[in-house]
Amino acid sequence: MKKRVVILGSTGSIGRNTLDVIDRHPDRFEVWGLAARRNIDCLAKQVEKYHPKVVAVFDPVSARTLRQRLQKSKLEIYSGLEGLIQVATMPEIELVVSAVIGSIGLLPNFAALRAGKTLALANKETMVMAGELAMQESLGRGTIIPIDSEHSAIFQVLNGEKQQYIRRIILTASGGPFRTLPAEKFDKITVKEALQHPNWQMGKKITIDSATLMNKGLEVIEARWLFQVELSQIDVLIHPQSIIHSMVEFVDGSVLAQMGIPDMRLPIAYALNYPERLENSLTPLDLTRIGSLTFEPPDTQRFPCLRYAVEALKIGGTMPAVLNAANEVAVEAFLQEQIRFTQIAEVIAETMAQHHPTPLKTGDLHDILAADTWARRTAQKLIQSLQQRRF
Ligand SMILES: NC(=O)c1ccc[n+]([C@@H]2O[C@H](COP(=O)([O-])OP(=O)(O)OC[C@H]3O[C@@H](n4cnc5c(N)ncnc54)[C@H](OP(=O)(O)O)[C@@H]3O)[C@@H](O)[C@H]2O)c1
């Protein structure tokens, strides 16, 4: 029987790559549901091609327009956060691919886990905000399979290994477009330059996160919870070629790495069909063409966001949710050219400095959501005052 799949964020980069993988294996997967925010042109084309049973459009006006456009079909179209949750918990489905961007994924992801679904997770923001609680849910009911290439790499390397044999997890990072840029030039970085990732084609938010190295900070937090290791067991290594997607060092000194071309369809396919591997016809890895693989330590002076993420994880409680929300707001402000590149880190640091974190309670997302709302408001005010100082 085909695996019935729901894709939250089907119109985005991960969502479209997921559908590409499904296109290559129509005998194995059935697209049961799709969800997006407001890109109904793309969604309508996907509906025409995949004939899902349900669709959710977060934005209610766009949901109404899509209903009018597709009124001849019998398709159920939900809207709002409730709509996302409804689609993620349909009784008929097995697997939810969570490819929405940002904190909007939190509640649908938790709902999917609570409903016993397998969660193929790209939406790392959920693990940053509430990784500890998500793992508690996943131990009891649904299962989380990472899509993030680094975490997929570690997940693959750890397959069948005992937890007590892990000495260290080594997360690799490309270093982004400004890896070699001198510190004094950071203030002049433009949106266009920051959106030029050297190795990966991704959505705008994660591309900026990669340029600030916040992406790696978020991934450190994600790894801490997904693999149940201490922060002291996680290292970050800059590897500009993005061929080694991450490594695990075991207690006997062996280091196992997962390699592959930088193409998200590889980790997506692994997550969709886990524990079986799927054949594909993508360009194979040719190490002779790449020639050399290089490594260097991250520079947290030029890229302070990585340091802030580690600090947030150390502080714990609601602080990682605050880091995440402040980052989302600051990145959006940078994309809108309201603040400079270096001010992304300033907004995050100041929002964190103003927060009084509270510990998390098992099964309770209330404090996390409250911290998220508070941090968004605080970061927004900081951005306004930065803008006023400019004029
Ligand atoms: N792209 C990558 O290669 C990559 C790699 C590793 C991890 N990830 C993670 O995967 C997630 C998605 O990244 P992406 O690059 O695919 O982002 P993206 O291209 O910006 O796509 C975001 C998707 O989320 C949808 N969305 C946004 N807000 C929503 C809302 N309120 N309700 C419903 N849907 C909403 C968007 O719908 P609309 O199109 O309608 O706005 C779109 O489908 C992020 O957490 C990212 O960190 C991405």
Side-chain angles (χ1 to χ4, degrees), residues 25-174:
H25 302 279
D27 51 321
R28 286 182 188 261
F29 306 104
E30 178 175 0
V31 178
W32 196 264
L34 298 170
R37 176 175 38 187
R38 64 170 78 94
N39 186 352
I40 52 169
D41 288 338
C42 178
L43 206 47
K45 283 189 196 133
Q46 292 179 345
V47 167
E48 213 171 288
K49 180 165 177 191
Y50 297 99
H51 306 290
K53 304 285 184 294
V54 287
V55 161
V57 183
F58 181 79
D59 174 51
V61 176
S62 308
R64 215 175 306 133
T65 314
L66 189 67
R67 274 187 211 111
Q68 281 159 2
R69 265 206 220 174
L70 302 174
Q71 53 182 261
K72 283 201 192 115
S73 77
K74 292 207 177 85
L75 183 65
E76 297 252 29
I77 301 177
Y78 303 109
S79 75
L81 184 57
E82 270 313 307
L84 298 183
I85 293 173
Q86 222 149 347
V87 169
T89 54
M90 298 298 291
E92 297 89 349
I93 61 161
E94 244 173 278
L95 183 89
V96 175
V97 176
S98 181
V100 289
I101 189 90
S103 61
I104 194 69
L106 182 74
L107 292 177
N109 290 340
F110 266 74
L113 288 173
R114 285 172 180 161
K117 310 298 179 198
T118 300
L119 186 63
L121 186 70
N123 177 254
K124 65 188 86 184
E125 292 87 349
T126 289
M127 294 306 286
V128 173
M129 298 171 77
E132 191 174 3
L133 306 189
M135 291 313 286
Q136 288 163 2
E137 296 293 343
S138 97
L139 292 176
R141 284 166 270 193
T143 314
I144 302 176
I145 305 183
I147 282 185
D148 226 347
S149 59
E150 295 76 1
H151 303 74
S152 174
I154 297 161
F155 191 78
Q156 293 183 48
V157 163
L158 289 179
N159 204 358
E161 295 284 352
K162 289 193 176 124
Q163 181 78 14
Q164 75 254 34
Y165 293 151
I166 305 172
R167 183 187 283 165
R168 195 164 59 112
I169 278 176
I170 304 160
L171 286 174
T172 53
S174 71

Side-chain angles (χ1 to χ4, degrees), residues 195-370:
L195 286 175
Q196 304 291 319
H197 195 280
N199 304 339
W200 298 95
Q201 292 290 323
M202 309 181 284
K204 284 185 181 171
K205 191 257 178 185
I206 185 177
T207 305
I208 302 300
D209 285 349
S210 301
T212 61
L213 283 202
M214 176 57 92
N215 186 45
K216 214 46 55 181
L218 302 180
E219 288 177 8
V220 168
I221 304 177
E222 186 183 5
R224 156 74 180 97
W225 300 119
L226 264 180
F227 304 112
Q228 301 285 299
V229 291
E230 296 302 322
L231 174 59
S232 57
Q233 291 175 281
I234 306 173
D235 280 341
V236 171
L237 188 62
I238 303 294
H239 164 48
Q241 297 79 20
S242 297
I243 295 299
I244 295 182
H245 297 303
S246 276
M247 303 179 244
V248 179
E249 181 182 297
F250 292 94
V251 288
D252 61 358
S254 288
V255 178
L256 299 193
Q258 187 266 345
M259 296 197 264
I261 55 165
D263 188 319
M264 285 308 295
R265 288 172 293 183
L266 269 64
I268 291 170
Y270 189 77
L272 283 182
N273 209 42
Y274 177 79
E276 310 294 333
R277 287 185 186 271
L278 288 170
E279 274 190 41
N280 76 40
S281 53
L282 300 176
T283 320
L285 175 63
D286 178 357
L287 286 171
T288 57
R289 196 179 55 76
I290 292 156
S292 60
L293 301 179
T294 59
F295 307 95
E296 57 198 71
D299 176 352
T300 55
Q301 292 311 314
R302 282 183 307 139
F303 299 99
C305 287
L306 176 57
R307 209 168 64 231
Y308 299 152
V310 168
E311 270 169 37
L313 179 57
K314 278 188 193 154
I315 295 165
T318 47
M319 193 56 100
V322 165
L323 166 101
N324 180 67
N327 180 55
E328 284 186 29
V329 172
V331 168
E332 186 53 34
F334 171 69
L335 286 169
Q336 301 297 327
E337 300 186 338
Q338 293 167 354
I339 59 172
R340 294 195 301 273
F341 184 79
T342 46
Q343 289 175 326
I344 297 174
E346 284 174 38
V347 169
I348 296 164
E350 187 50 36
T351 309
M352 284 174 66
Q354 291 184 25
H355 183 60
H356 303 290
T358 52
L360 304 184
K361 298 181 220 81
T362 305
D364 183 0
L365 296 173
H366 179 266
D367 291 346
I368 292 175
L369 291 168

